[in-house]
């Protein structure tokens, strides 16, 4: 779908094209072509685009993507790259906001369309920002699963850790489907097994929860951590330990702050690219 509105007036006469009457269509800056789109629910969709030949990024980072706004200027938002660093395409996972300045338009893209992609990846959800450990926790809500979709397909994740626990909390069961299908595909992917080593997928422990619709595990992950349910369900004695456990967090601002407090109560410290510690939070993501 073009981001440029079509002229609604009916042309009643032919006019010769001259230097005065010819109008050049705006050129999309930093354009990349949409190759695939999948709608998961009424409020969630994912899409893939071509990858700039010069783009290098670390799994877990984000870039600025968008479309031209109604004023003809780029309208950009931070989006975590859901595909791993070795992939030939770039994948993104997005919410749909009907009156949102960007997503109200972005949700209508289809293969062949173009988007703006600024090839300057940044972010804190990277392995370099964590000290070595044995167990890695991914804490996500909603589309905050995206950077972990990248890291779950990154060989270093399984080289560095003996166990990888991905928790994903959403309101309804359908909102978990993107993550559920991705993890299932990882477990069955022969190419990934060859790339990462046989048995790598056995390290993945998936812990999805819902807060509104009935599901096998109900409740906010924050409450399930506080009352010890998570540890009992997973057979982890003693909870989270700073000597062995590392964590990455991506969700709403309130969720990030709640998880940060919980992790600090377990004596974990927040790290950064310049100063690795036991956990990191993606502050650019809110939703």
């Amino acid at each position: 779908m073009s981001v440029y509105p079509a002229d609604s007036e009916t042309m009643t006469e032919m006019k010769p094209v001259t230097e005065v009457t010819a109008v050049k269509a705006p050129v999309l800056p930093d354009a990349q072509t949409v190759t695939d789109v999948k709608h998961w629910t009424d409020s969630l969709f994912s899409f893939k685009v071509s990858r700039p030949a010069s783009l290098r990024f670390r799994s877990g980072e984000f870039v600025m993507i968008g479309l031209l706004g109604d004023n003809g200027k780029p309208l950009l938002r931070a989006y975590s790259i859901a595909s791993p660093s070795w992939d030939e395409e770039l994948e993104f996972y997005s919410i749909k906001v009907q009156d949102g300045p960007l997503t109200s338009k972005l949700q209508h893209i289809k293969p062949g369309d173009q988007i703006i992609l600024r090839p300057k990846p940044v972010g804190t959800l990277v392995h370099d920002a964590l000290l070595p450990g044995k167990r890695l926790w991914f804490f996500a809500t909603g589309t905050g699963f995206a950077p972990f979709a990248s890291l779950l397909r990154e060989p270093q994740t399984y080289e560095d850790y003996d166990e990888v626990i991905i928790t994903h909390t959403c309101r309804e069961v359908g909102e978990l489907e993107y993550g559920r299908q991705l993890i299932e595909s990882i477990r069955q992917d022969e190419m990934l097994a060859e790339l990462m080593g046989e048995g790598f997928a056995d390290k993945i422990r998936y812990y999805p929860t819902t807060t509104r619709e009935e599901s096998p595990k109900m409740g906010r992950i924050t409450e399930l951590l506080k009352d010890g349910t998570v540890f009992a369900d997973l057979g982890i004695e003693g909870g989270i330990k700073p000597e062995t456990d590392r964590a990455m967090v991506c969700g709403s601002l309130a969720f990030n702050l709640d998880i940060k407090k919980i992790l600090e109560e377990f004596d974990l410290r927040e790290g950064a690219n310049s100063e690795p510690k036991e956990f990191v939070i993606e502050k650019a993501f809110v939703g």
Side-chain angles (χ1 to χ4, degrees), residues 207-228:
Y207 195 85
T209 72
T210 57
T211 58
R212 185 176 300 176
E213 184 180 358
E214 190 72 27
S215 72
K217 178 57 64 175
M218 300 284 294
R220 299 182 184 280
I221 191 65
T222 47
E223 296 303 319
L224 298 173
L225 284 166
K226 290 176 183 177
D227 66 17

Side-chain angles (χ1 to χ4, degrees), residues 93-135:
Y93 185 42
S94 177
I95 58 172
K96 305 176 189 177
V97 181
Q98 299 311 317
D99 57 353
L102 177 58
T103 60
S104 61
K105 297 180 175 66
L106 192 64
Q107 63 182 295
H108 298 297
I109 58 172
K110 61 183 185 297
D113 288 345
Q114 291 187 332
I115 68 163
I116 302 168
L117 190 151
R118 294 283 165 80
K120 296 180 181 178
V122 291
T124 56
L125 299 184
V126 293
H127 287 301
D128 294 344
L130 291 177
L131 293 171
K134 293 184 178 180
R135 180 190 293 126

Side-chain angles (χ1 to χ4, degrees), residues 58-61 123-130 151 248 273 280:
R58 295 175 295 176
S59 292
E61 289 187 313
T124 56
L125 299 184
V126 293
H127 287 301
D128 294 344
L130 291 177
L151 286 158
M248 295 185 177
N273 279 278
V280 286

Side-chain angles (χ1 to χ4, degrees), residues 75-282:
L75 179 60
L76 305 173
R77 294 288 186 271
Y79 271 76
S80 292
I81 303 173
S83 46
S85 60
W86 49 263
D87 206 322
E88 295 180 352
E89 294 182 311
L90 301 178
E91 181 181 2
F92 299 95
Y93 185 42
S94 177
I95 58 172
K96 305 176 189 177
V97 181
Q98 299 311 317
D99 57 353
L102 177 58
T103 60
S104 61
K105 297 180 175 66
L106 192 64
Q107 63 182 295
H108 298 297
I109 58 172
K110 61 183 185 297
D113 288 345
Q114 291 187 332
I115 68 163
I116 302 168
L117 190 151
R118 294 283 165 80
K120 296 180 181 178
V122 291
T124 56
L125 299 184
V126 293
H127 287 301
D128 294 344
L130 291 177
L131 293 171
K134 293 184 178 180
R135 180 190 293 126
L136 178 61
W137 296 80
F138 292 145
F139 294 108
T141 58
T143 54
F145 188 91
F148 305 138
S150 174
L151 286 158
L152 282 167
R153 291 177 281 185
E154 169 58 50
Q156 186 180 349
T157 300
Y158 306 96
E159 294 170 1
D160 291 356
Y161 298 93
D162 299 329
E163 191 175 12
V164 180
I165 301 174
I166 171 70
T167 81
H168 191 199
T169 300
C170 295
R171 294 169 300 174
E172 301 174 355
V173 174
E175 296 171 344
L176 294 167
E177 194 63 14
Y178 172 82
R180 188 196 69 77
Q181 287 194 22
L182 182 130
I183 289 174
E184 185 63 27
S185 69
I186 290 174
R187 295 187 190 280
Q188 300 177 1
D189 196 310
E190 294 180 359
M191 186 197 74
L192 289 178
E194 184 176 339
L195 184 66
M196 301 180 197
E198 289 292 341
F200 83 95
D202 295 337
K203 296 183 177 184
I204 300 173
R205 306 191 71 182
Y206 179 44
Y207 195 85
T209 72
T210 57
T211 58
R212 185 176 300 176
E213 184 180 358
E214 190 72 27
S215 72
K217 178 57 64 175
M218 300 284 294
R220 299 182 184 280
I221 191 65
T222 47
E223 296 303 319
L224 298 173
L225 284 166
K226 290 176 183 177
D227 66 17
T229 299
V230 175
F231 309 122
D233 288 344
L234 296 175
I236 296 173
E237 296 184 5
I240 295 173
K241 304 180 182 71
E243 298 82 14
T244 56
D245 292 74
R246 304 294 176 259
M248 295 185 177
V249 187
C250 191
S252 66
L253 178 59
F255 174 78
N256 288 352
L257 292 174
D258 287 345
I259 293 289
K260 173 184 169 75
K261 182 178 179 181
I262 291 170
L263 293 174
E264 288 177 340
E265 288 173 351
F266 280 112
D267 295 327
L268 271 65
R269 301 165 297 168
E270 184 175 359
N273 279 278
S274 58
E275 193 174 3
K277 290 291 194 301
E278 289 84 29
F279 77 91
V280 286
I281 294 174
E282 187 51 84

